[in-house]
């Protein structure tokens, strides 16, 4: 089974803080995605990438930046964290030819 | 509006009965429709999927139906058990675009 590793698993920060969430997959997957999960909203797409150096805007991008430094690594950046960004964040990846998604175990972020 | 609509948001059934969750999607380029089960504190786990060249798929007690013309698909769990209690998410995935998920259904199966 393909592995997607997220770090940290838990993060607490204050309003205005700077946070970086990391996602790494070593499956040679082209596509990587960042979602946030909130009660009543399911998984909402923040940013995604088709490959190293590529970035695409998702459905709820405000307040978030992303960077895909390598094929393996996809980062989500919150430069001025706000309480509304308190959420559970999931990273997922897939190959070019197969739509099946592989999820990381999630990062629980609390912004106080 | 939501690109993938999922209903109901809460579903309570008696053990041994059937449970049905319905989803509809907007993007006609969607060609892959997975269903995920999520336990508390866990990530979503794929339980069954269907591709656009099929109308029905069954794995044990799980049945998925796809109506491409109506842009609707559904999950049916027959003979539900307390272990089926969880959050369930549908998704619609186009080959050339990002996956979009429904808002989720919280299923509770009462003994």
């Amino acid at each position: 089974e393909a592995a997607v590793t997220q770090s940290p698993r838990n993060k607490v920060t204050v309003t205005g803080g700077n946070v970086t969430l990391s996602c790494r997959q070593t499956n040679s997957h082209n596509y990587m995605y960042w979602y946030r999960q909130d009660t009543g909203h399911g998984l909402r797409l923040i940013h995604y990438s088709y490959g190293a150096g590529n970035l695409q805007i998702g459905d709820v991008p405000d307040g978030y930046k992303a960077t895909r430094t390598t094929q393996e690594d996809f980062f989500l950046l919150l430069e001025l964290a706000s309480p509304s960004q308190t959420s559970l964040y999931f990273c997922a990846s897939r190959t070019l030819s197969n739509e099946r998604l592989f999820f990381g175990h999630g990062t629980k972020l609390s912004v106080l | 509006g939501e690109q993938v609509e999922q209903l109901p948001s809460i579903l309570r059934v008696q053990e041994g009965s059937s449970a049905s969750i319905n989803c509809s999607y907007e993007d006609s380029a969607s060609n892959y429709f997975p269903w995920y089960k999520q336990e508390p504190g866990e990530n979503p786990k794929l339980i069954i999927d269907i591709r656009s060249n099929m109308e029905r798929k069954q794995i044990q007690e799980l049945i998925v139906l796809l109506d491409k013309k109506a842009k609707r698909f559904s999950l049916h769990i027959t003979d539900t058990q307390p272990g089926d209690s969880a959050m369930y998410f549908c998704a619609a995935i186009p080959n050339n675009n990002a996956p979009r998920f429904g808002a989720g259904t919280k299923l509770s199966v009462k003994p």
Side-chain angles (χ1 to χ4, degrees):
Chain A
E1 174 103 345
V4 180
T5 303
Q6 289 184 239
S7 61
R9 293 293 298 270
N10 290 281
K11 176 73 177 179
V12 180
T13 190
V14 296
T15 299
N18 192 320
V19 176
T20 298
L21 306 185
S22 302
C23 178
R24 165 167 273 236
Q25 54 83 18
T26 53
N27 314 300
S28 299
H29 287 177
N30 304 90
Y31 299 163
M32 296 185 75
Y33 308 93
W34 277 108
Y35 292 91
R36 60 177 290 174
Q37 183 177 7
D38 305 286
T39 302
H41 293 282
L43 290 148
R44 291 184 290 175
L45 182 66
I46 306 172
H47 289 298
Y48 59 108
S49 168
Y50 294 138
N54 177 270
L55 289 173
Q56 303 292 321
I57 296 172
D59 300 325
V60 289
D62 292 348
Y64 302 96
K65 292 183 180 179
T67 177
R68 180 89 177 265
T69 53
T70 63
Q71 183 79 344
E72 294 78 20
D73 297 301
F74 194 28
F75 300 95
L76 187 66
L77 297 83
L78 293 72
E79 295 181 331
L80 286 171
S82 74
S84 65
Q85 293 175 307
T86 292
S87 188
L88 180 58
Y89 291 86
F90 283 104
C91 175
S93 69
R94 54 165 276 213
T95 66
L96 189 65
S97 57
N98 190 331
E99 297 94 339
R100 181 177 174 181
L101 287 177
F102 293 88
F103 281 92
H105 283 90
T107 295
K108 185 176 180 181
L109 174 66
S110 298
V111 184
L112 305 178
Chain B
E2 298 292 337
Q3 296 194 28
V4 178
E5 185 174 5
Q6 181 173 346
L7 292 171
S9 55
I10 298 173
L11 181 58
R12 298 187 180 97
V13 301
Q14 207 68 33
E15 181 179 359
S17 65
S18 296
S20 296
I21 304 171
N22 299 293
C23 289
S24 60
Y25 61 97
E26 294 182 355
D27 190 346
S28 56
S30 299
N31 57 5
Y32 176 65
F33 306 90
W35 287 88
Y36 293 88
K37 177 182 181 182
Q38 187 181 29
E39 311 268 10
E42 299 288 323
N43 59 2
K45 302 276 195 305
L46 178 70
I47 54 172
I48 191 168
D49 55 16
I50 190 167
R51 296 190 179 276
S52 57
N53 60 352
M54 300 176 69
E55 294 180 348
R56 184 183 190 277
K57 183 175 180 178
Q58 181 167 1
I59 298 177
Q60 297 179 333
E61 78 281 5
L62 303 176
I63 300 171
V64 290
L65 302 175
L66 172 62
D67 183 342
K68 280 199 69 182
K69 192 172 182 181
K71 294 184 186 175
R72 292 181 182 174
F73 57 113
S74 57
L75 173 68
H76 306 271
I77 306 173
T78 61
D79 189 24
T80 53
Q81 301 298 311
D84 293 324
S85 297
M87 282 293 293
Y88 289 81
F89 293 98
C90 64
I93 305 181
N95 192 42
N96 59 351
N97 207 338
R100 261 73 178 190
F101 289 81
T105 297
K106 184 175 182 180
L107 174 63
S108 298
V109 180
K110 297 186 176 182

